[in-house]
Amino acid sequence: YILLEWVAIESDSSNVLKRPDLHHMMEKAAQKLRLMGGMVELVDIGQQELPDGQTLALPKVVTAQFGSDPNKRTVCIYGHVDVQPAKMDDGWATDPYNLTDINGNLYGRGASDNKAPVLAWIHAVEAYQALHMELPVNVKFIIEGMEETGSNGLEDMIVAQRDIFFSDVDYIIISDCGWLSRRPALTYGTRGNCYFFAEIEGPKQDLHSGVYGGTVIEPMTDLIGILDTLIDPNGKILIPGIREAVAPLSDEEWKMYQDIQFDLENYKNKIGVDQLMYNSKVDLLAHMWRYPTVSIHGIQGAFSDHGTKTVIPAKVVAKFSIRQVPNMDPAVVKKQVNVKNRTFLSLKSPNKLKVTMVIGAKPWLADTQDPVFEAGKAAIKRVFNVDPDLIREGATIPIARTFQDVTGKSIIMMPIGGFDDGLHSQNEKMSRYNYIEGTKYFIAYLHEVSLIKKTSV
Ligand SMILES: CC(C)C[C@H](N)C(=O)NCC(=O)O
């Protein structure tokens, strides 16, 4: 029932009009943890500056603590309760904000990304409480509301809390990703993300393409010229310097990918395509996880409705992103993209160009030999009776690398999302099986992690 209540809140962090819902969501998460007896704080992380210069209050970050026994290990669970946009018009079969159970799958925006996994951790603590069993470790939570837009404000808070909230934390756990197949997985790497807005402004208002076409230099034509210099249709990145920065694929890594069970046909069926960019498993996994890619997401201001409006849009904004990997750096990527000098100047256009990098999240990579991974394997074995896949994630958890760099703690990603959950897409879901067994797995993990000897840190 609580998942239904949480999904009903349209906590879309990318839509400024939904900010009150997001504040409400943070209050709701805090209230739940308070009712369980946690020591809860709602931490003010300041204001967000919008591209137009206006400011807006960021959603507060919820921290909570259950237990403070110095003789026990302390884990910190990170999660987020903001979501990506969703509307029926996008092609959802059910109302995205009304959690709907169909054949054992719970459909709703944010069900898998990341409300049910956050709740599964909460239920794990509740299970110990309900059984009147002492928690084997101290458990802390840090829950944010801006993950989907780059975790604005969280880095500063982590830096400020490094010697306070994080001082006694041994391990940070993130469950905000998915398995690769039906086999449970542990995740040891994520790609980073640099997200850009490229705005081109021309005439002072939209124009009739018949009346003015052929007389003005159209912003949209300039913009398409710019986008065409980012990536070719075969996936080759055209921005100089990007491919050269990528850490080479080692033999050991190649062997790891070889050993992963992954069916290309299933993958094609899942996403509904006849052909993929690569035909071999290793190539595909490598390009999903450890090579960069460029995606063009949309053009704001362009005519995109039904019908045949014959318009010359006056101002258009392209949205594109670059998923980056070790050894790339967002600050360097920002310079490399450089569409102004690389492309725009050669167009000799009188239109105005403005490029902004609105997200600059670094990639993250962990050492799978760390005892936290051994504890994860043992918990998976106990609940699912299989050995997990050790996988990377092509998407981004912006704060993962900050946790690593600022706190110096070990980080593990323990997904419970299914491979077909449809994150960010239509009909996102979380299966009842993954939600329930995932909760059992988290309960088992708290036990396993308590067994890690203090000396092995
Ligand atoms: C599968 C991802 C790591 C889930 C995460 N919540 C996410 O969507 N991050 C933002 C992104 O664009 O990768």
Side-chain angles (χ1 to χ4, degrees):
Y1 181 70
I2 187 164
L3 180 59
L4 182 122
E5 282 185 348
W6 281 26
V7 166
I9 302 172
E10 211 172 320
S11 48
D12 174 357
S13 53
S14 67
N15 183 347
V16 294
L17 300 175
K18 297 287 168 198
R19 195 51 58 89
D21 302 66
L22 193 48
H23 292 311
H24 175 51
M25 185 66 238
M26 304 319 295
E27 290 286 349
K28 189 103 183 154
Q31 183 62 5
K32 171 69 193 164
L33 292 158
R34 251 184 237 120
L35 286 173
M36 289 164 59
M39 229 171 68
V40 180
E41 275 184 53
L42 272 161
V43 184
D44 190 342
I45 55 165
Q47 302 280 317
Q48 173 184 10
E49 192 167 331
L50 303 174
D52 65 3
Q54 291 193 54
T55 55
L56 186 68
L58 284 164
K60 294 195 170 109
V61 172
V62 180
T63 61
Q65 178 166 356
F66 294 86
S68 56
D69 183 342
N71 297 315
K72 288 182 184 171
R73 291 274 178 205
T74 300
V75 298
C76 173
I77 319 289
Y78 159 85
H80 69 93
V81 287
D82 60 315
V83 298
Q84 286 274 316
K87 45 185 183 348
M88 281 301 277
D89 280 359
D90 295 339
W92 280 69
T94 57
D95 176 354
Y97 296 102
N98 182 14
L99 192 74
T100 309
D101 185 351
I102 303 173
N103 296 333
N105 285 320
L106 305 168
Y107 290 90
R109 173 55 88 225
S112 181
D113 185 6
N114 179 227
K115 290 178 176 175
V118 168
L119 280 169
W121 276 111
I122 290 178
H123 298 325
V125 172
E126 282 182 313
Y128 278 97
Q129 293 179 334
L131 294 169
H132 303 290
M133 284 171 70
E134 205 181 308
L135 279 167
V137 290
N138 305 312
V139 179
K140 289 186 165 182
F141 283 91
I142 176 160
I143 302 175
E144 69 151 322
M146 288 300 285
E147 191 273 348
E148 298 292 3
T149 51
S151 290
N152 321 40
L154 189 59
E155 176 163 355
D156 289 350
M157 182 224 163
I158 292 169
V159 171
Q161 292 286 331
R162 189 185 61 180
D163 302 325
I164 310 166
F165 182 80
F166 291 101
S167 61
D168 58 351
V169 168
D170 294 300
Y171 308 117
I172 297 172
I173 305 168
I174 302 178
S175 299
D176 181 22
C177 35
W179 301 345
L180 186 61
S181 63
R182 296 197 188 280
R183 196 185 190 86
L186 293 172
T187 307
Y188 64 94
T190 49
R191 288 195 287 194
N193 195 11
C194 292
Y195 199 111
F196 293 88
F197 289 179
E199 175 187 300
I200 304 218
E201 195 172 358
K204 67 175 190 209
Q205 65 189 73
D206 291 355
L207 301 172
H208 187 304
S209 70
V211 177
Y212 297 96
T215 68
V216 290
I217 294 158
E218 302 191 13
M220 183 72 100
T221 315
D222 286 352
L223 196 65
I224 301 297
I226 285 174
L227 295 178
D228 199 35
T229 64
L230 300 176
I231 186 163
D232 81 6
N234 298 317
K236 185 176 166 201
I237 295 179
L238 305 173
I239 305 162
I242 295 235
R243 287 180 302 136
E244 293 74 0
V246 176
L249 181 76
S250 67
D251 292 347
E252 195 191 338
E253 221 182 325
W254 194 88
K255 171 86 183 49
M256 258 177 109
Y257 293 179
Q258 269 276 312
D259 292 345
I260 290 176
Q261 280 177 26
F262 178 69
D263 187 311
L264 292 187
E265 286 309 310
N266 268 347
Y267 186 74
K268 282 200 265 188
N269 289 339
K270 180 186 96 171
I271 53 181
V273 297
D274 296 331
Q275 194 193 322
L276 295 165
M277 199 76 96
Y278 304 94
N279 293 322
S280 92
K281 176 177 77 176
V282 172
D283 274 342
L284 199 82
L285 291 177
H287 282 86
M288 194 192 292
W289 294 340
R290 55 102 60 230
Y291 286 123
T293 187
V294 176
S295 299
I296 298 167
H297 306 292
I299 300 180
Q300 191 180 325
F303 170 60
S304 65
D305 227 325
H306 302 284
T308 53
K309 188 175 182 189
T310 45
V311 69
I312 298 172
K315 181 164 116 182
V316 279
V317 188
K319 317 270 173 102
F320 63 91
S321 72
I322 302 175
R323 298 281 171 176
Q324 16 90 34
V325 298
N327 302 319
M328 293 167 70
D329 178 349
V332 176
V333 171
K334 188 176 174 187
K335 288 196 189 121
Q336 287 164 331
V337 166
N338 191 14
V339 282
K340 183 164 183 196
N341 294 324
R342 246 176 6 92
T343 328
F344 189 67
L345 289 181
S346 69
L347 298 178
K348 303 206 181 330
S349 170
N351 295 326
K352 286 195 275 307
L353 168 77
K354 188 168 132 203
V355 181
T356 327
M357 187 170 91
V358 291
I359 299 178
K362 290 182 181 170
W364 164 79
L365 199 56
D367 174 7
T368 55
Q369 303 303 314
D370 192 296
V372 276
F373 280 87
E374 290 311 313
K377 287 182 200 168
I380 285 182
K381 188 82 182 170
R382 182 182 283 258
V383 174
F384 299 99
N385 200 25
V386 291
D387 295 317
D389 280 331
L390 280 177
I391 63 171
R392 282 165 76 160
E393 171 60 65
T396 308
I397 297 181
I399 213 63
R401 177 70 173 275
T402 306
F403 277 136
Q404 195 171 52
D405 291 350
V406 175
T407 69
K409 314 288 178 182
S410 302
I411 295 160
I412 182 171
M413 291 199 188
M414 299 173 52
I416 58 166
F419 70 96
D420 55 355
D421 279 0
L423 312 184
H424 297 201
S425 177
Q426 297 89 347
N427 304 323
E428 177 182 348
K429 58 101 175 136
M430 164 61 80
S431 78
R432 277 179 176 274
Y433 173 83
N434 283 45
Y435 190 18
I436 295 168
E437 298 307 302
T439 302
K440 294 182 194 166
Y441 158 46
F442 292 164
I443 296 168
Y445 188 77
L446 294 180
H447 167 72
E448 292 297 339
V449 85
S450 75
L451 303 179
I452 300 177
K453 296 214 168 38
K454 286 262 184 195
T455 49
S456 62
V457 178

